[in-house]
Amino acid sequence: MSEVKEININSPFLDQKPGTSGLRKSTLKFQEEHYLEIFIEAIFRSFKDLEGSTLVVGGDGRYGNLEAIKKIVQICVAHKIDKVIVPKDGLLSTPATSHLIRKEKAIGGIILSASHNPGGIEGDFGVKLNISNGGPAPEKITNEIFKLSQFLTSYKISQIELPDFNQYGSFSYGKTTLEIIDGLKDYSDLMEKIFDFDQISDFLKKDFSMIFDAMNAVTGPYAKNIFVEKMGLSSNCVMNGIPLEDFGGLHPDPNLTYASHLADLLLNKKNFSFGAACDGDGDRNMILGKGCFINPSDSLAVITANTNCVPGYKEGISGVARSMPTSSAVDIVATAFNIPCFETPTGWKFFGNLLDQNLITLCGEESFGTGSNHVREKDGLWAVLYWLQVLAEKNCSVSELINNHWQQFGRNYYSRHDYEAIPSEIANQIFLNLSSKLPNLKGNNFAGNAVQHADNFSYSDPVDNSLSENQGLRIILEDKSRVILRLSGTGTKGATLRLYFERFFNPKQNLSLDPQDALKPLIDDLENLLNISKLTKMETPTVIT
Ligand code: VG1
Ligand code: CO
């Protein structure tokens, strides 16, 4: 019944290099014969003790999800994995996967998702690998997998008949047990341990209307489970709550451009007191208040400043970390609270060691990602619950909370400009152009300030001493303003150029400017230096955050 076949292919796939978070390609690419199977084989060969171990496999429900899960289970059987845990309907958010890996002491997990990239036959597909601590595989492992894939011309598979994944159950195939489980329960139980659901639901039922947008992706069922079933709110509080293969045509990236329908409800129509959205696989979050958008860097700072409001963190926190392009708003809070603050490269995998060693409790990225040591991934719904808990405890509005924060700590005006899917040659040209200018920038005038430091960021992990180079070009000015330039490692079409701008205003300065105005001198001078609009032939960025 579980006869193992060795399938040979003519030549290896040479393009299976994982990016910032997993391997992402067009759906069509992943539909090519043997493409997914070979990458899974490369992953399995990178594990030392696969036989006899437990693996978690799930995805965000995008086109091809269940079909890919079936193939992976067949490959697991061929590799004599002891237990494969798959959620019902194959739906498991990234943070829920991280939790399940930890709870089941699994060797790791495979998440079928291209996260915030669009789905469907014309969209993207992806494979994320998480290791036994529940976090994304570090560079050492992803580099090893890429190396293996360069020569891989065969994989093992057991072409067994599998059940539909629409019912719970346990099934045996040779040495392997397949368990189909409830993908929601463990996660919402964990949230219930961290947060006081009664306090949040009382607050939301009083006079504080909320709308959560799941963007037709994986968080719909989780949000309904938590807000409707557990807290007893009306089901209207979750919009776009049914996971669809193509996300209903939405681009499930929770920002002001791709979630403009939600932004409109909060910022223009002012219909709700609180609004939030998550991305395709549920690890990102966007927080909105009535007439007010919370920049993710500020969100991390507010979360850090208010641990005393949240039951799960009342004992205090050991430290915080942020990715390099994330604004320094959290650093100011960390200094005030006398806790360490680490600066890592972009990508959640760099937080893993710090969390495992309890050097940090909270961490976040400017790209709508915040999280804590409860799992080893950023966690969208966790952030939403965190904000609601703080608001409930303080009994205030989102804008009151953020304004009070700025009054106390000052405001780090911040913005990211993305030029998406531009020709790779142009992106590389802009990048190399700035790289070559960096050594001569020090001391020069930039945006009315002197350049204090200009470099290509590199990071030495304080736990395992691994070195990660070429993590983004930075210009740091004497007043601590920063301009950063990076190329995205998650896009699939051409290249995406990301520019990040930050400028600090103390509480005595004007704290209510439009960030684009406050940052204009930096934005203009970078344009003068690099001619980005001329080279990209774009007058404005694709996305401004
Ligand atoms: C982007 C973000 C980064 C995030 C990564 C994965 O990477 O900038 O902060 O960790 O996406 O997020 P890049 O290389 O495109 O800038 V997710 O939600 O797509 O797993
Ligand atoms: Co994501």
Side-chain angles (χ1 to χ4, degrees), residues 19-21 324-325 345-347 366 416-435 456 469-474 484-500 530 532 536:
T20 311
S21 177
M324 182 274 281
T346 293
E366 48 63 42
R416 181 173 111 181
H417 292 189
D418 295 324
Y419 293 79
E420 292 185 344
I422 60 176
S424 298
E425 316 81 71
I426 302 289
N428 290 335
Q429 187 189 340
I430 296 171
F431 187 90
L432 290 174
N433 194 2
L434 181 58
S435 284
N456 188 337
E469 293 180 295
N470 196 21
Q471 297 295 328
L473 308 179
R474 340 181 258 185
I484 293 148
L485 187 151
R486 275 183 70 246
L487 296 179
S488 157
T490 58
T492 57
K493 291 177 198 74
T496 290
L497 182 69
R498 304 203 194 284
L499 314 177
Y500 311 78
L530 300 176
I532 293 166
T536 57

Side-chain angles (χ1 to χ4, degrees), residues 44-61:
F44 283 5
R45 291 199 188 180
S46 77
F47 280 118
K48 301 288 168 284
D49 312 305
L50 198 58
E51 229 180 283
S53 65
T54 297
L55 190 78
V56 177
V57 185
D60 66 7

Side-chain angles (χ1 to χ4, degrees), residues 21 24 60 94-95 113-117 128 252 254 278-284 377-378:
S21 177
R24 290 184 200 187
D60 66 7
T94 289
S113 173
S115 193
H116 57 286
N117 298 20
K128 293 185 178 191
C278 286
D279 73 333
D281 62 332
D283 53 0
R284 297 183 177 209
E377 283 281 2
K378 52 187 181 277

Side-chain angles (χ1 to χ4, degrees), residues 331-345:
D331 305 36
I332 296 172
V333 178
T335 305
F337 287 13
N338 201 18
I339 52 169
C341 179
F342 295 84
E343 182 179 45
T344 60

Side-chain angles (χ1 to χ4, degrees), residues 1-2 73 77 160-163 171-178:
M1 185 182 85
S2 59
V73 173
V77 174
I160 32 153
E161 279 287 313
L162 291 168
F171 307 84
S172 248
Y173 307 98
K175 293 197 163 159
T176 304
T177 307
L178 165 67

